[in-house]
Amino acid sequence: MQPTFVDAEIASQPETWRRAAARAQGVAPQLPQRGERVAVVGCGTSWFIAMSYAVLREQAGHGVTDAFAGSEYPRGREYDRVMALSRSGTTTEIVELLTALSGTPTTLITAVADSPAAGVADETVALPFADEQSVVQTRFATSTLALLRAHLGEDVETLAEQAEAALEIPIDDLLEAEQCSFVGLGWAVGLTYEAALKTREAAQFWSESYPAMDYRHGPIAIAQPGRLVWTLGAAPTGLADEVAETGARFVAHDLDPLAGLIVAQRFAVGLAKARGLDPDNPRSLTRSVILA
Ligand code: F1P
C-alpha cells in the first residue's frame, strides 16, 4: 500500500514536539497558571490527552486538575479556568461548552486558529504546524501534550529523542495478534485509552485499556495465547509474569509513555494495512463530530 498521510504525521512527531515545546514560554500567559483549579475537556483523543495532562499537572504541584469528556463537564462546578483541547476546533460539545462558560476563563489549544471554538474561547493557543490530513489523530494530540509538559518544566528534547527511537522499533512480529489490552500507571493511563482508540479507529481491531493495577481485577481473564498485553511505561511488579502464565505476550518498551504511544500508533497503522484498510479514512469516522 502507498504511504499514507498518517505515516508521515507519525514520523514527524519528534519535530512537532520540539516546535510545540519551543512555544511553551511564549504562550505561558494563556495556559493554566500555577495554583489555578483547572478542568481540561476534550472529545475522543483530545479527552485522553486531557486525562494524562491532568495527572501530570497535579503531580507537578500546579494545582487541582480534572479531565472530562466535553459532554460530561459538570456544569454546576466552579473552576478557575477551563482548558479545551480540540484539533479541529469544530467539535460540537466543545464549541457549545466554551460558549456556555461565560464568566469562567477559558483557553483552547487547537490546530486551527480561526475555528468556531477559537471564536468563543477567551484565549487560543494554535499549533497549526501539528495539524493533520488524516482523520486519525496522532501528532496534534502528542504535540499538545509535549507543549503542556514543557510548560510544566519537563525536558522535551529528551522526549523527542525517545520519539526518534520509537519510530525505529520493529512491530512486524506484533501484527499477527488477535487482540491487545494496553495498560499503564498514573498519567500513562490516559495514553493507554488513546493507544487502544488508535487501533480501533485505524484498523477496526479489538483493543482494551486499563490502569495497570486494575487490569488484574477482571480484564486479565481475556489474556490468552495470540493476544497482547502492552504496557506504556513501567508496569506493576509481577504483572509481566502473571501475563506470561496466561500464554499472552507481554509487550514493553524502555520509553517514556508518550514515546511508547508512537509505537502503538505505528502498530495501529500496520494492523490497518495488514487488513487491507486505508488508515487515513477510517470506517464511520470524520475529522470531527459536528452535530446538527
Ligand atoms: C475529536 C475527535 C477525534 C477523533 C474523531 C472525532 O476531535 O474525537 O479525536 O479522531 O475524528 O473527533 P477534535 O475536537 O480534537 O478536533
Side-chain angles (χ1 to χ4, degrees), residues 43-46 85-91 94 135-137 140 197-198 201 285-289:
C43 297
T45 292
S46 296
L85 312 181
S86 178
R87 174 180 68 174
S88 64
T90 55
T91 298
I94 298 303
V135 166
V136 172
Q137 279 204 44
F140 173 73
L197 180 70
K198 282 311 82 154
E201 285 184 327
L285 302 182
T286 49
R287 173 173 160 87
S288 74
V289 176

Side-chain angles (χ1 to χ4, degrees), residues 93-268:
E93 292 97 308
I94 298 303
V95 177
E96 287 187 355
L97 180 61
L98 291 174
T99 305
L101 281 171
S102 60
T104 303
T106 56
T107 296
L108 170 72
I109 303 183
T110 182
V112 185
D114 60 355
S115 60
V120 290
D122 297 322
E123 307 280 359
T124 295
V125 173
L127 306 176
F129 57 84
D131 203 356
E132 295 164 289
Q133 283 182 269
S134 178
V135 166
V136 172
Q137 279 204 44
T138 55
R139 73 178 181 192
F140 173 73
T142 60
S143 300
T144 296
L145 196 52
L147 164 74
L148 293 169
R149 291 178 70 177
H151 179 245
L152 295 176
E154 291 194 49
D155 173 12
V156 171
E157 178 50 36
T158 306
L159 268 183
E161 286 163 16
Q162 289 203 22
E164 282 159 356
L167 290 168
E168 302 301 327
I169 289 175
I171 55 160
D172 285 357
D173 60 329
L174 300 173
L175 298 177
E176 296 292 307
E178 171 197 35
Q179 187 272 344
C180 181
S181 296
F182 290 95
V183 298
L185 294 170
W187 71 269
V189 172
L191 299 189
T192 69
Y193 297 148
E194 169 58 6
L197 180 70
K198 282 311 82 154
T199 71
R200 291 192 292 264
E201 285 184 327
Q204 299 164 31
F205 177 80
W206 174 28
S207 56
E208 304 194 356
S209 40
Y210 300 95
M213 289 295 286
D214 227 63
Y215 179 72
R216 296 178 171 112
H217 294 267
I220 194 167
I222 292 298
Q224 66 179 46
R227 299 181 179 174
L228 308 176
V229 179
W230 182 326
T231 185
L232 292 178
T237 308
L239 188 64
D241 291 341
E242 289 160 49
V243 168
E245 273 171 36
T246 70
R249 178 166 168 192
F250 189 75
V251 180
H253 304 104
D254 187 17
L255 294 169
D256 176 279
L258 190 59
L261 176 62
I262 292 182
V263 187
Q265 293 168 341
R266 293 175 50 230
F267 173 64

